[in-house]
Amino acid sequence: MNAPTWNVKIGINPISWMNDDLPSLGGETPLETALKEGAEIGYVGFELGNKFPKDAPALNAVLGKYGLACVSGWYSGRLAHRSVEDEIAAVGPHLRLLADSGASVMVYGEVADAIQGEARPLYKRPRFQSAQQWQDYADKLTAFAKHLLDNGVRLAYHHHMGAYVETPADVDQLMALTGPEVGLLFDTGHITFAGGDALAVLNKHIDRICHVHCKDVRANVVKLARNGHWSFLQAVINGAFSVPGDGSIDFPAILTRLYLHGYEGWLVVEAEQDPAVAPSYEYAKMGHDYLAHLVEAIPRLGREAA
């Protein structure tokens, strides 16, 4: 009998080489260095960043040179302030880029009032102040997600430190108020940093998860960040995040749950660090090899557990 396999793909975000929020971290690194090294390590796709071409033919050419797929791309949404109509107009070029490049999901990050790039402590992040504000936001998000689906791309909502939707309670609220058109990007590192139990959040919202960011956390640094009222970028610079297998998150349990549920999307290594401290190639390879080992082993272990 053939060994069971798991139909997932392992991709990476270029943040391991260059950080768009803090260009001093790897800002001098050429895009082609990241693509060449990522492909050599064994990644089959990349999420987009600021250095990637903004038109599909050029993007497909540069990715195709290394045999890589376009996984997805971050979109800085402002539905907390904008109308659905204005957001649809704003997203047009990025939506076409993703759709024409073969991506099936769009990473939506709410940046209105967000403090992730500011020198402000994380406890000063924005919060919706009433049930009506939550409902209004959710209604707009659902309408926007329907527009994306009409164009062949699903919205993958990124809960994120320093933003309106950060904690497990925020995720619960968002999922309860939005329609099924709104998919959830499950980020292991952000939900853990936000005080959550990653596996518990996964179990609660697994039916809505359409994209997965795999990052680990160093629990001691996260504790310092919280107790010291650090900003998000302070936490990044001081090593709060790392690649899977280099921190405290139970990735075997998380990936086993995804496998048993039938998840077949991307597993994306996205671990913002200072490449001067955590060399890009070394850590990207560490994360890939760790995930690849689990992806190979989990179908057998999962079947035994079932």
Side-chain angles (χ1 to χ4, degrees):
M1 181 183 295
N2 292 332
T5 58
W6 185 14
N7 185 29
V8 289
K9 294 170 286 190
I10 301 176
I12 192 165
N13 187 288
I15 208 165
S16 291
W17 287 268
M18 57 201 76
N19 191 313
D20 288 344
D21 290 329
L22 195 61
S24 61
L25 303 185
E28 73 287 352
T29 304
L31 173 61
E32 297 226 353
T33 297
L35 298 180
K36 178 179 180 294
E37 292 184 352
E40 182 180 302
I41 288 166
Y43 289 102
V44 295
F46 263 74
E47 287 189 338
L48 304 183
N50 285 343
K51 293 185 180 181
F52 285 77
K54 299 298 190 290
D55 66 280
L59 175 61
N60 291 331
V62 73
L63 290 173
K65 180 179 178 181
Y66 299 98
L68 295 163
C70 174
V71 176
S72 182
W74 170 282
Y75 174 68
S76 294
R78 297 181 179 275
L79 278 169
H81 289 172
R82 281 178 179 154
S83 68
V84 176
E85 294 74 21
D86 286 346
E87 200 68 72
I88 287 173
V91 80
H94 188 58
L95 175 55
R96 288 191 296 273
L97 176 64
L98 293 181
D100 292 346
S101 302
S104 61
V105 296
M106 177 190 293
V107 175
Y108 181 98
E110 183 62 52
V111 300
D113 303 317
I115 62 168
Q116 65 195 62
E118 299 180 11
R120 300 174 65 192
L122 281 166
Y123 75 84
K124 292 189 176 182
R125 72 179 179 94
R127 291 171 172 82
F128 294 120
Q129 299 299 318
S130 68
Q132 190 61 53
Q133 285 183 337
W134 267 108
Q135 189 64 64
D136 291 346
Y137 181 68
D139 290 345
K140 289 193 289 184
L141 194 64
T142 300
F144 182 69
K146 288 178 180 177
H147 171 74
L148 298 191
L149 279 178
D150 288 342
N151 288 272
V153 177
R154 190 171 188 201
L155 186 149
Y157 194 98
H158 194 333
H159 54 92
H160 201 287
M161 300 303 299
Y164 277 107
V165 180
E166 177 186 279
T167 67
D170 296 333
V171 174
D172 291 348
Q173 187 82 321
L174 189 76
M175 293 295 97
L177 296 176
T178 52
E181 297 86 356
V182 176
L184 179 64
L185 186 160
F186 177 64
D187 188 300
T188 56
H190 278 276
I191 205 65
T192 303
F193 195 145
D197 178 314
L199 185 58
V201 175
L202 174 67
N203 283 328
K204 185 178 289 188
H205 300 295
I206 197 162
D207 288 334
R208 299 284 289 275
I209 291 169
C210 63
H211 201 50
V212 178
H213 277 179
C214 298
K215 64 162 64 76
D216 220 328
V217 300
R218 297 185 176 96
N220 60 323
V221 180
V222 169
K223 185 176 180 179
L224 287 171
R226 285 304 199 188
N227 291 342
H229 301 313
W230 292 359
S231 69
F232 178 68
L233 292 181
Q234 274 182 285
V236 168
I237 291 168
N238 282 283
F241 296 130
S242 188
V243 296
D246 189 42
S248 60
I249 294 177
D250 187 352
F251 278 95
I254 288 168
L255 267 61
T256 297
R257 183 69 181 92
L258 287 166
Y259 168 75
L260 291 174
H261 187 74
Y263 178 79
E264 293 189 340
W266 285 93
L267 301 175
V268 179
V269 172
E270 194 233 23
E272 45 266 70
Q273 299 186 87
D274 182 352
V277 177
S280 302
Y281 188 98
E282 176 187 340
Y283 276 78
K285 180 171 173 52
M286 186 190 310
H288 173 275
D289 292 353
Y290 181 74
L291 287 182
H293 168 73
L294 290 178
V295 167
E296 182 179 357
I298 277 170
R300 174 179 57 82
L301 298 175
R303 180 170 289 185
E304 292 172 359

